[in-house]
Amino acid sequence: MRARVVVGVDLGGTNLGTAVITDSKDILAKLTVPTNAHEGPEAVIDAIERSVRRALAEAGADLTDTLAVCVGSPGPLNWQTGIVYHAPNLPGWNDIPLGEKLHDRLAVPCYVDNDANVACYGEYWLGAGQGVSTLCLLTLGTGVGGGLVINGELIRGIDGTAAEIGHMKVMRGGRRCGCGRDGCFEAYASVTGMLRTAAEGMEGGSETLLNTLCHNDTAKLTGKMISEAIDKGDDFAKEVMEETGAWIGIGIANLVNILNPEKIVLCGGMVAAGDILFDAIRQSVDENAFEVPAQRAEIVPAGLGDDSGVIGAAGVALSRYTVDHRAP
Amino acid sequence: MRARVVVGVDLGGTNLGTAVITDSKDILAKLTVPTNAHEGPEAVIDAIERSVRRALAEAGADLTDTLAVCVGSPGPLNWQTGIVYHAPNLPGWNDIPLGEKLHDRLAVPCYVDNDANVACYGEYWLGAGQGVSTLCLLTLGTGVGGGLVINGELIRGIDGTAAEIGHMKVMRGGRRCGCGRDGCFEAYASVTGMLRTAAEGMEGGSETLLNTLCHNDTAKLTGKMISEAIDKGDDFAKEVMEETGAWIGIGIANLVNILNPEKIVLCGGMVAAGDILFDAIRQSVDENAFEVPAQRAEIVPAGLGDDSGVIGAAGVALSRYTVDHRAP
């Protein structure tokens, strides 16, 4: 008997990842192609279709073996109807019925779910969270995204908007956030937040190699410059990274006090900073959360690296297929 | 055939509530007796036993009809072993195996669970949250406690410490909290927090009737004085209440962004403040959370009033009995 498979798709602004995984968790094929987002929604949906068919062929499978497909998509979107309302990095994506359009092409159940939620499920299913029932995923990049698995279930909330961890307020009256509100976690804990922390210090007159690296223009600062300055022994850059870790730890401490999870999985650009960041985060969580849940929560980088999303999408496809086809 | 019943016990520092409820949710008996906490743990456990037997007799039932008993207890405690580690308002309660001691006396399954969690389950089961799958309960009293039901399940976390909503940090570097950390939600959103807000304003020279009511001693301020001053048209007291509502709304907005719940149920002493408080909370949630989940989350007072705990304990007894006796 041929294996039954699910297909996960990670729809990013730049790249489109696709994976074919059996219902016993064997990864049979995985490929990445450019999204070519500038060509518009129909072209991208064509690319998803081609990618799914190609990955299935590479896996030695076809659509008759396929239980379901799931696309992890940027949002906001409706996971129940499969409509993507808007995707900032995908030009022209407004109210696109992605699930339905894919189903028309592939004739198997085609689900759509939030990309960060799907990545969290990936870590739970096959990554750093295997064997764990409750975990939180934080994506620490330009912004801060999140996903929650509680008692083995992906938490989407009643409208599918849950896990907006980046917009938890940690500092009333604090920094203005991209969302228009003030004091959001994301305004401090993202790469963007870290660069603002650096810029504020530099504008306050701090001596640092960063002045040279950015040619005295703090608007040109990058995360890479911070890392480079740290590598060269720059104390200010190290303090900026530690301060950012302290903020990340505050948000995590809130999740730890509220949810008492077993693991916190971190992914995104910030994670590359390594021990200097993780040590600061750990210390901040210990200081800011209650002892028992703080001691419990292991804080680890994503086990699947950049593949959390594509593997998670396949996992969600299997999970949703199973729920939809459960005996009554 | 006689009805099968569960018994809920609400163990408070002052009063001990007991309710007998059928497995089809009919409340057959409900009574309250003094806890007499000063007599020590054994006397209190005797009182629980007597109270359970008396409530069963009033319900026309007995222990042979009883599926399970659950005590909603102050904590910290271990809900799996039934051990109460420590209960601040119950002198001498240190590592008391409450579940086991009750089982020795009653010979039916005797569960122990956190009081705020149990109250949340009560609101989900028979109160303001009926028909809702995801809700948060906040107890706004001397401190801020909480409970979470997500997709119909009480969320306890891996160590049973979840839902410590009061110690979510909303203001880094802010007010010192009773827990020893700074900027906790509880330091602003509790009755104690409201009184600090009032005291700070009065010490800053604000004109208010509260000066007269507390005889110019801000340490003597009470929640009742704030309400009295508001009733008499005192603007400062009204602002204090609205500012407290704004803080409560910030904590709720965080829960709304993280969990996208259908309802937020409020209980505890603050709730009596009524519209002036609820309007300020509502406005703050709308300002501080994303629009879709903010619009979704209904913010309501507890439907069971002071009985959330005792009814919830019975509900948790039934739920835990059902899980423990599920066909394999």
Side-chain angles (χ1 to χ4, degrees):
Chain A
M1 194 180 103
R2 286 168 69 135
R4 300 194 310 168
V5 301
V6 282
V7 183
V9 177
D10 182 21
L11 173 57
T14 310
N15 288 317
L16 183 66
T18 308
V20 177
I21 305 184
T22 69
D23 59 358
S24 45
K25 303 188 184 181
D26 292 315
I27 301 173
L28 301 183
K30 195 157 63 69
L31 57 89
T32 303
V33 298
T35 305
N36 290 331
H38 61 276
E39 294 176 8
E42 283 303 321
V44 171
I45 296 168
D46 285 345
I48 295 174
E49 180 191 355
R50 277 195 309 273
S51 208
V52 169
R53 292 186 186 275
R54 203 180 113 198
L56 282 169
E58 284 187 16
D62 63 31
L63 285 163
T64 63
D65 310 311
T66 304
L67 298 176
V69 174
C70 178
V71 182
S73 167
L77 55 81
N78 185 321
W79 68 280
Q80 282 157 312
T81 60
I83 294 174
V84 178
Y85 296 130
H86 178 62
N89 296 322
L90 299 172
W93 283 65
N94 297 303
D95 298 328
I96 300 292
L98 176 58
E100 193 185 307
K101 280 174 177 281
L102 275 179
H103 181 261
D104 289 347
R105 286 163 161 83
L106 299 169
V108 297
C110 291
Y111 302 115
V112 178
D113 234 307
N114 172 279
D115 49 6
N117 287 353
V118 151
C120 184
Y121 196 83
E123 289 295 322
Y124 162 73
W125 195 47
L126 281 179
Q130 273 188 85
V132 154
S133 70
T134 295
L135 73 145
C136 308
L137 173 117
L138 278 73
T139 60
L140 302 165
T142 313
V144 175
L148 302 172
V149 167
I150 299 182
N151 297 339
E153 260 190 284
L154 189 55
I155 301 301
R156 298 183 181 89
I158 183 73
D159 302 293
T161 71
E164 282 290 0
I165 292 167
H167 300 279
M168 156 169 66
K169 197 184 290 279
V170 290
M171 186 72 188
R172 188 181 183 191
R175 276 186 194 163
R176 181 55 56 107
C177 177
C179 76
R181 296 171 190 85
D182 61 58
C184 291
F185 181 46
E186 171 171 305
Y188 300 92
S190 59
V191 174
T192 322
M194 178 176 67
L195 299 179
R196 284 173 74 176
T197 301
E200 285 172 13
M202 289 160 72
E203 285 151 16
S206 290
E207 291 284 328
T208 166
L209 185 59
L210 291 170
N211 286 312
T212 315
L213 292 175
C214 75
H215 303 286
N216 292 309
D217 180 358
T218 56
K220 296 228 166 78
L221 278 174
T222 64
K224 219 172 151 177
M225 290 176 195
I226 308 273
S227 301
E228 191 183 332
I230 292 172
D231 287 345
K232 291 186 172 155
D234 187 80
D235 285 339
F236 173 81
K238 185 162 170 267
E239 280 161 27
V240 165
M241 183 63 78
E242 286 168 347
E243 173 69 0
T244 305
W247 279 110
I248 296 171
I250 284 171
I252 292 176
N254 284 357
L255 296 173
V256 161
N257 276 344
I258 297 171
L259 298 173
N260 182 203
E262 291 171 78
K263 283 208 180 169
I264 306 283
V265 178
L266 304 184
C267 62
M270 293 284 304
V271 172
D275 282 351
I276 180 175
L277 181 68
F278 277 77
D279 289 350
I281 293 173
R282 180 78 260 170
Q283 187 186 334
S284 172
V285 172
D286 288 345
E287 284 168 11
N288 290 298
F290 281 129
E291 190 179 346
V292 169
Q295 288 301 311
R296 168 69 65 173
E298 245 190 282
I299 300 168
V300 295
L304 302 172
D306 293 336
D307 290 336
S308 313
V310 69
I311 290 173
V316 170
L318 182 59
S319 161
R320 292 182 64 171
Y321 175 88
T322 306
V323 170
D324 287 354
H325 295 79
R326 195 175 274 165
Chain B
M1 193 182 106
R2 287 167 68 132
R4 300 193 311 168
V5 301
V6 283
V7 183
V9 176
D10 182 23
L11 173 58
T14 310
N15 288 317
L16 182 66
T18 308
V20 177
I21 305 184
T22 68
D23 59 357
S24 45
K25 304 188 184 181
D26 292 315
I27 301 173
L28 301 183
K30 197 157 64 66
L31 57 88
T32 304
V33 298
T35 306
N36 290 330
H38 62 275
E39 293 176 9
E42 284 302 321
V44 170
I45 295 168
D46 286 346
I48 295 174
E49 179 192 355
R50 277 195 308 275
S51 208
V52 169
R53 292 185 186 275
R54 204 180 112 199
L56 282 168
E58 285 187 17
D62 63 31
L63 285 163
T64 63
D65 309 310
T66 304
L67 298 175
V69 174
C70 177
V71 182
S73 167
L77 55 81
N78 185 321
W79 68 280
Q80 282 156 312
T81 61
I83 294 174
V84 178
Y85 296 130
H86 178 62
N89 296 322
L90 299 172
W93 283 65
N94 296 304
D95 298 326
I96 300 291
L98 176 58
E100 194 184 305
K101 281 175 177 283
L102 275 179
H103 181 261
D104 289 347
R105 287 161 159 85
L106 299 169
V108 297
C110 291
Y111 302 114
V112 178
D113 234 306
N114 172 279
D115 49 6
N117 287 354
V118 151
C120 185
Y121 196 83
E123 289 294 322
Y124 162 74
W125 195 48
L126 281 180
Q130 274 188 85
V132 154
S133 69
T134 295
L135 74 145
C136 308
L137 174 116
L138 277 73
T139 60
L140 302 166
T142 313
V144 175
L148 301 173
V149 167
I150 299 182
N151 296 340
E153 261 191 284
L154 190 55
I155 301 301
R156 299 182 181 90
I158 184 73
D159 303 292
T161 71
E164 282 290 359
I165 292 167
H167 300 280
M168 156 170 65
K169 196 183 292 280
V170 290
M171 186 73 187
R172 189 181 182 190
R175 278 186 192 162
R176 181 55 55 109
C177 177
C179 76
R181 296 171 190 85
D182 61 57
C184 290
F185 180 47
E186 171 171 306
Y188 300 93
S190 59
V191 174
T192 322
M194 178 176 68
L195 299 178
R196 284 173 74 176
T197 300
E200 285 172 12
M202 289 160 73
E203 284 150 17
S206 290
E207 291 285 325
T208 166
L209 185 58
L210 291 171
N211 286 312
T212 314
L213 292 175
C214 75
H215 304 286
N216 292 309
D217 181 357
T218 56
K220 297 227 164 78
L221 279 174
T222 65
K224 219 172 151 177
M225 290 176 195
I226 308 274
S227 302
E228 191 183 332
I230 291 172
D231 287 344
K232 292 186 172 155
D234 188 80
D235 285 338
F236 173 81
K238 185 162 171 268
E239 280 161 27
V240 166
M241 183 64 78
E242 286 168 346
E243 172 70 359
T244 305
W247 279 110
I248 296 171
I250 285 171
I252 292 177
N254 284 356
L255 295 173
V256 161
N257 276 343
I258 297 172
L259 298 172
N260 181 203
E262 291 172 78
K263 283 208 180 170
I264 305 284
V265 178
L266 304 184
C267 63
M270 292 284 305
V271 172
D275 282 352
I276 179 175
L277 181 68
F278 277 78
D279 289 349
I281 293 173
R282 179 79 259 169
Q283 188 186 334
S284 172
V285 172
D286 288 345
E287 284 168 9
N288 291 298
F290 281 128
E291 190 179 346
V292 169
Q295 288 301 311
R296 168 70 64 173
E298 246 191 281
I299 300 169
V300 296
L304 302 172
D306 294 336
D307 290 337
S308 313
V310 69
I311 290 173
V316 170
L318 182 59
S319 161
R320 292 183 63 171
Y321 175 89
T322 306
V323 170
D324 287 354
H325 294 80
R326 194 175 275 166

